Amino acid sequence: MRKLKLPGRKKTKTEKLTINLTPTEVGQIDYLVERGLYTNRSDFIRMAIRKQTESHAGDISQFLAPALPETDRMRYYGGLGLYRLTRAYIENLRTFDAKVNIRVVGALSIEKTITAQNLREVMASCKVHGKLFADEEIKTLIKEMNAH
């Protein structure tokens, strides 16, 4: 099997979420922070989220696992974390006349030099759980692909 060069991961900032808690829940968190068990409320919430996502790691791994074995003509790209789809990778797929299934849990950044037409030529599927950084035309293309 010929090897394709994979684009690298991309660093990104944290995402701000707003949650609603009861006064009792907030009080419990504040007490644990005051006792020094957590640095602050955000630290507590991040730790609680990590614990829950770890308990569902099998489900996430199943989503990320390729449905079929990778071949010269069908590739899989993505995983858990922050990924960047580059023009060079797209061109490499075109050179090999290959299609790609993209699955990301985290963030996917698509270079601005990649057009929706470029992606149509090489992308078999794309599902991003998290944040997608791309031009509106590409976001629309991916949304349409997932609507079917």
Side-chain angles (χ1 to χ4, degrees):
M1 184 182 324
R2 297 181 291 178
K3 296 283 184 179
L4 287 171
K5 294 179 182 176
L6 293 176
R9 291 182 175 205
K10 181 180 175 162
K11 293 181 181 180
T12 189
K13 296 178 182 178
T14 59
E15 190 84 11
K16 185 174 283 217
L17 300 176
T18 302
I19 61 170
N20 296 316
L21 300 172
T22 67
T24 303
E25 292 165 333
V26 173
Q28 290 171 330
I29 294 168
D30 287 347
Y31 172 76
L32 296 172
V33 169
E34 186 179 292
R35 295 278 322 265
L37 299 172
Y38 299 93
T39 309
N40 52 41
R41 290 175 176 175
S42 292
D43 184 39
F44 172 86
I45 293 166
R46 274 192 300 275
M47 293 300 292
I49 290 169
R50 279 190 198 113
K51 185 175 180 180
Q52 282 302 107
T53 54
E54 286 171 5
S55 75
H56 294 283
D59 293 328
I60 294 168
S61 293
Q62 187 174 8
F63 165 75
L64 293 172
L68 299 169
E70 193 170 74
T71 68
D72 283 345
R73 305 277 318 273
M74 186 57 67
R75 301 298 180 147
Y76 293 91
Y77 177 72
L80 182 64
L82 312 172
Y83 290 86
R84 182 169 170 250
L85 197 57
T86 64
R87 178 115 186 145
Y89 182 65
I90 297 298
E91 294 302 325
N92 205 357
L93 287 167
R94 290 172 73 190
T95 299
F96 287 97
D97 193 28
K99 295 280 188 181
V100 64
N101 288 293
I102 301 168
R103 297 285 181 271
V104 173
V105 174
L108 175 65
S109 175
I110 299 175
E111 276 186 359
K112 293 202 182 294
T113 59
I114 297 171
T115 66
Q117 181 58 38
N118 296 143
L119 282 180
R120 269 189 205 92
E121 294 172 9
V122 299
M123 191 167 57
S125 69
C126 181
K127 186 68 177 173
V128 177
H129 290 282
K131 189 77 172 169
L132 175 61
F133 299 98
D135 290 338
E136 286 305 314
E137 186 181 13
I138 290 173
K139 288 180 179 180
T140 300
L141 170 65
I142 292 170
K143 192 180 292 185
E144 289 170 0
M145 290 181 85
N146 289 314
H148 299 103

